[in-house]
Amino acid sequence: MGNKKTDILFNHWQHTLQFFGVDQCKITATFTQLVAAYCTVGRYYHTLQHIHHVLNNIQTLQVYTQNLPTVQLAAWFHDVVYDTHANDNEARSAEYACQLLTNLAIPISQITIIQRLILNTKHHQAAIDDIDSHILLDADLAILAANPVDYQKYAHAIRQEYAWVTEAEYTKGRKQVLEKFLQRQHIYFTPLMFEMAEQSARANLQAEIQQLACKKN
């Protein structure tokens, strides 16, 4: 990710934390910490580029939000811990967020909301009235509706993150994940994303399932 996008992300981080009255030194130090976390070895999709896209998608959906700064902070932390060998990444990311944000004196009431939003990304489900979770989940899953070329890049990057998994096991597991999304009544929660992205996402998921079937055969 180039310096220009890093600068854009820093400005975003700075703006969000200034809303809570955090001083400049702490803003810079914590940003450096987050950059290091998202640049760890083995990340191909869950990188700063992904955070950049999620934040942009949240901006598009902010008309629905009840608490924009908490949704933005949840976006920053939702993949901060990412280990494909583990199944508790969301819980660990929520704990990471709690520790860092507590040190920045973010109100505990806000941290509790942020942790809930992060935990909901595990299964990409949320309560029917949890609008802010809906925004984060839709922003996170917007990649599913990308144009076919970008979707292929995304699917390839996910495979790279699971390079240690055999082809047969990956095909089986990935197919199950994709089919779960297709079985949902709606992939997207917000009216805008449902209208603009639902059909494209379903087409991409079905296409990847077909490609996986070809590999299996």
Side-chain angles (χ1 to χ4, degrees), residues 72-216:
Q72 291 171 327
L73 286 175
W76 274 103
F77 288 98
H78 81 286
D79 285 325
V80 71
V81 176
Y82 188 74
D83 176 3
T84 56
H85 292 268
N87 61 7
D88 62 346
N89 288 321
E90 294 80 10
R92 288 162 65 198
S93 292
E95 181 56 33
Y96 186 112
C98 181
Q99 291 178 0
L100 189 147
L101 295 173
T102 298
N103 290 338
L104 294 179
I106 305 299
I108 189 63
S109 60
Q110 302 300 302
I111 294 174
T112 301
I113 295 169
I114 291 162
Q115 288 189 291
R116 185 190 78 233
L117 298 180
I118 293 168
L119 292 171
N120 283 341
T121 65
K122 184 174 180 68
H123 300 293
H124 287 94
Q125 294 283 9
I128 195 167
D129 60 346
D130 189 355
I131 305 301
D132 285 338
S133 276
H134 296 172
I135 293 166
L136 177 62
L137 297 178
D138 280 7
D140 191 28
L141 292 179
I143 186 64
L144 299 183
N147 69 66
V149 173
D150 287 341
Y151 184 89
Q152 288 277 359
K153 290 177 182 176
Y154 148 73
H156 179 65
I158 296 294
R159 181 65 181 104
Q160 286 178 289
E161 291 183 338
Y162 284 88
W164 57 274
V165 180
T166 66
E167 194 67 32
E169 283 299 309
Y170 182 80
T171 298
K172 180 183 176 183
R174 180 69 177 167
K175 186 167 176 281
Q176 287 174 345
V177 169
L178 301 177
E179 286 176 341
K180 277 185 182 177
F181 281 119
L182 286 174
Q183 288 162 7
R184 286 162 56 153
Q185 188 174 1
H186 301 308
I187 293 173
Y188 297 110
F189 294 95
T190 60
L192 180 62
M193 284 295 288
F194 180 73
E195 182 183 345
M196 302 294 292
E198 185 83 12
Q199 195 171 351
S200 297
R202 289 184 179 276
N204 281 333
L205 294 174
Q206 288 165 346
E208 187 181 352
I209 288 171
Q210 288 176 346
Q211 288 173 343
L212 291 169
C214 290
K215 285 183 182 179
K216 193 174 179 181

